């Protein structure tokens, strides 16, 4: 196969996943929340089980007027949704779906690349907050920046633990080195990474930057129409990315109870779906944390726990 054709197929596959998987997560969230909280609305659109709810939402966003505040920095205001989406697209390029060549771009420093790119998300929050010329947006952006910068540390330390255990920064290498018993001694790192990941994508109970009871809708307040839809899409892509990284780093990626390598991609997708379900479950199960509670959890619980996990990992590596 010519190199250019292989490149087109790989990038095309990532683009399809980038567009389809977040929509499936959004549809699942409608249904899961409808069942868990007794919501009737999402179960009506289209008839059977509300199958057309996502289509109805899309039509609604397209029909809404695209408004830019008069005092806004128009260029930055319009660019923020793009900055929110692009980092997740780049991350999906290096996440392995299965063994062998089932990855768009294998990198020897894939984990380093992922952590560096995910951290760019804070720019979109600050851009949308500052450019909106709205005090509620600005307060939400400052909260978001403090949250993202704080939880970046336990996220990186937890990922460093599993990288140290595997002896490589390659995401494919980490999956290949993974053993089922890692579910025990790397469990604290997995919990830390998952919680910090929720905070990074500002999902409940870490949604203080968009607290509707205090900040209208935080840094998203002035966005309407398709731009708001893109920012919402970025949240759902973030769910897919955090679920995929948790799967690859801590749950064995494509490894499953059967040795058939041909089914590796299926095991990866099933694990990503399960972790995404847990993220949705958190939204309907836990109340929003106050700002002081959010920062206390980060600096007094997750950071010390992640440092202790690094010490444990180093000890086990030396012992082995």
């Amino acid at each position: 196969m010519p190199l250019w054709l292989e490149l087109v197929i790989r990038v095309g596959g990532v683009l399809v996943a980038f567009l389809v998987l977040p929509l499936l997560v959004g549809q699942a969230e409608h249904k899961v929340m409808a069942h868990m909280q007794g919501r009737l609305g999402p179960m009506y659109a289209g008839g059977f089980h509300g199958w057309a709810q996502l289509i109805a939402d899309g039509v609604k966003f397209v029909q809404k007027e695209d408004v830019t505040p008069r005092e806004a920095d128009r260029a930055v205001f319009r660019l923020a949704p793009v900055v929110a989406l692009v980092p997740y697209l780049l991350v999906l390029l290096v996440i392995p779906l299965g063994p062998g060549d089932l990855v768009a771009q294998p990198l020897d420093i894939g984990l380093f690349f992922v952590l560096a790119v995910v951290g760019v998300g804070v720019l979109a929050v600050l851009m949308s907050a500052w450019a909106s010329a709205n005090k509620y947006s600005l307060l939400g952006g400052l909260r978001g920046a403090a949250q993202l910068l704080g939880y970046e540390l336990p996220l990186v330390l937890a990922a460093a633990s599993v990288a140290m255990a595997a002896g490589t920064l390659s995401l494919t290498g980490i999956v290949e080195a993974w053993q089922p018993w890692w579910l025990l001694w790397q469990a604290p790192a997995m919990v830390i990474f998952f919680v910090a990941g929720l905070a990074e994508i500002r999902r409940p109970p870490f949604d203080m930057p968009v607290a509707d009871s205090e900040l209208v809708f935080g840094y998203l307040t002035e966005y309407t129409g398709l731009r708001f839809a893109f920012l919402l899409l970025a949240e759902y892509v973030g769910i897919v990315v955090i679920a995929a990284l948790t799967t690859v780093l801590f749950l064995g990626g494509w490894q499953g109870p059967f040795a058939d390598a041909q089914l590796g991609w299926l095991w990866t997708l099933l694990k990503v779906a399960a972790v995404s379900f847990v993220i949705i479950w958190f939204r309907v199960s836990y109340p929003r944390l106050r700002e002081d509670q959010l920062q206390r959890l980060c600096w007094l619980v997750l950071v010390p726990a992640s440092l202790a996990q690094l010490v444990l990992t180093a000890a086990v590596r030396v012992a082995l």
Side-chain angles (χ1 to χ4, degrees):
M1 181 184 298
L3 179 61
W4 66 268
L5 180 57
E6 180 180 354
L7 180 63
V8 169
I9 292 175
R10 289 177 182 272
V11 174
V14 171
L15 286 175
V16 170
F18 179 76
L19 296 173
V20 172
L21 292 180
L23 297 181
L24 294 177
V25 171
Q27 181 77 345
E29 183 169 57
H30 279 111
K31 305 311 169 188
V32 170
M33 292 178 65
H35 284 293
M36 288 187 172
Q37 296 183 328
R39 298 186 178 192
L40 299 179
M43 308 303 289
Y44 276 90
F48 176 72
H49 210 68
W51 65 270
Q53 180 63 48
L54 199 63
I55 298 175
D57 286 342
V59 173
K60 175 185 68 176
F61 285 127
V62 171
Q63 290 179 334
K64 284 188 174 182
E65 183 181 4
D66 182 13
V67 177
T68 301
R70 181 182 305 168
E71 302 298 327
D73 186 329
R74 293 177 178 269
V76 177
F77 183 84
R78 294 170 179 173
L79 185 61
V82 178
V83 176
L85 280 169
V86 169
Y88 294 130
L89 175 60
L90 296 177
V91 169
L92 289 177
L93 287 172
V94 300
I95 294 180
L97 182 62
D101 293 332
L102 282 180
V103 56
Q105 181 57 55
L107 291 178
D108 292 337
I109 56 169
L111 181 59
F112 178 81
F113 174 82
V114 164
L115 295 176
V117 172
V118 167
V120 176
V122 67
L123 292 179
V125 175
L126 291 175
M127 288 170 65
S128 59
W130 177 260
S132 294
N134 180 296
K135 62 181 180 180
Y136 295 109
S137 299
L138 182 59
L139 288 173
L142 293 176
R143 283 184 177 182
Q147 176 173 318
L148 296 177
L149 292 175
Y151 279 85
E152 191 77 18
L153 181 57
L155 185 80
V156 171
L157 291 175
S161 173
V162 72
M164 184 186 300
T168 178
L169 289 174
S170 167
L171 295 179
T172 301
I174 290 174
V175 177
E176 292 173 346
W178 184 87
Q179 300 293 330
W181 69 281
W182 285 21
L183 291 172
L184 296 177
W185 74 296
Q186 289 297 321
M190 180 176 66
V191 172
I192 294 167
F193 184 88
F194 179 76
V195 173
L198 285 182
E200 284 286 310
I201 59 176
R202 300 166 298 283
R203 288 284 298 184
F206 304 99
D207 57 340
M208 281 298 295
V210 291
D212 52 352
S213 60
E214 303 172 34
L215 301 178
V216 187
F217 208 36
Y219 62 93
L220 301 176
T221 299
E222 298 292 350
Y223 283 90
T224 58
L226 285 178
R227 288 196 180 92
F228 178 81
F230 288 153
L231 288 168
L232 192 62
L233 179 64
E235 177 181 330
Y236 287 126
V237 181
I239 293 176
V240 174
V241 166
I242 293 301
L245 289 176
T246 303
T247 296
V248 168
L249 295 177
F250 300 100
L251 299 178
W254 62 77
Q255 298 192 43
F258 305 105
D260 188 0
Q262 300 298 324
L263 295 177
W265 62 271
L266 180 60
W267 287 118
T268 300
L269 291 179
L270 288 176
K271 293 175 183 178
V272 170
V275 177
S276 299
F277 172 79
V278 174
I279 293 175
I280 297 171
W281 193 352
F282 265 65
R283 175 174 181 175
V284 298
S285 301
Y286 290 92
R288 178 184 300 128
L289 295 178
R290 296 196 315 267
E291 186 67 20
D292 61 312
Q293 294 173 331
L294 185 144
Q295 295 296 341
R296 188 179 297 114
L297 174 64
C298 174
W299 296 105
L300 299 183
V301 178
L302 296 187
V303 171
S306 58
L307 291 173
Q309 177 64 36
L310 278 178
V311 173
L312 172 63
T313 302
V316 172
R317 287 285 294 175
V318 170
L320 295 178

